[in-house]
Amino acid sequence: MDAAVYPGSFDPITNGHVDIIERGAQMVDKLDIVVLVNQNKKPMFSLEERMDMIYHSVKHLDNVEVHFFEGLLVKYLKKNNIKYIIRGLRAMSDFENEFQMALMNKKQCDLVETIFLVSKVEYSYLSSSAVKELANFEGNIEDLVPEYVNEKVVEKVKGGKK
Ligand code: PNS
């Protein structure tokens, strides 16, 4: 496989995302992390903040690039001549939504294939939403996100409470 895309809203990137990125990057020559708009979610972090946190979290991987795309994921894939989408699966509860998204993307472009990587057990309970909720109530998120992201989330929560 020459290239793949790892799409998401990354609000913020977690250790679970980083694990999938590290494993995905080993499977391809080039992995594009693409920050997209999820119309069902209202982000806590701006696009620039999310991309900055991703850059800091994946800078040790030399075949990984970080991009933003406003629009359909399949348009990004077509524009960049990429066939493969990598997504992480944490639990059965992810499946329905992921299944629908994979079929929708396939319907838009038949050449597209979605590859699911099963998350490590230790990350199966981890989500960006849980990280934000914990941080909002002053819980400890140190083991859940990269160190730089921890700093940024704590800063954001403190800023919001001033
Ligand atoms: O990290 P998320 O929020 O689960 O990622 C979902 C995301 C951003 C990959 C998805 O909402 C998406 O692909 N958005 C772009 C619009 C699109 O192509 N939608 C078609 C899928 S139904």
Side-chain angles (χ1 to χ4, degrees), residues 7-10 17 36-39 41 71-74 87 97-98 100-101 104-105:
S9 38
F10 305 105
H17 291 127
L36 289 143
V37 177
N38 181 339
Q39 291 200 321
K41 294 181 182 169
L72 287 178
L73 172 57
V74 289
R87 290 285 287 175
N97 184 41
E98 292 298 332
Q100 187 188 20
M101 228 164 31
M104 273 293 184
N105 288 327

Side-chain angles (χ1 to χ4, degrees), residues 4 20 27 63 90 114 124:
I20 299 289
M27 295 164 48
N63 64 337
R90 289 165 300 187
T114 303
S124 57

Side-chain angles (χ1 to χ4, degrees), residues 2-5 77-78 80-85 109 111-115:
D2 46 5
V5 159
L77 293 165
K78 280 184 191 162
N80 293 282
N81 210 14
I82 298 175
K83 263 176 37 184
Y84 302 109
I85 301 169
C109 177
L111 289 174
V112 166
E113 297 292 351
T114 303
I115 296 154

Side-chain angles (χ1 to χ4, degrees), residues 44-76:
M44 175 189 242
F45 292 93
S46 70
L47 172 65
E48 290 72 24
E49 289 170 324
R50 282 182 273 158
M51 290 186 72
D52 173 60
M53 288 186 279
I54 300 172
Y55 281 127
H56 276 84
S57 309
V58 303
K59 58 179 186 235
H60 58 293
L61 299 167
D62 53 16
N63 64 337
V64 171
E65 288 179 9
V66 187
H67 297 275
F68 162 69
F69 190 71
E70 195 165 2
L72 287 178
L73 172 57
V74 289
K75 285 200 178 157
Y76 181 90

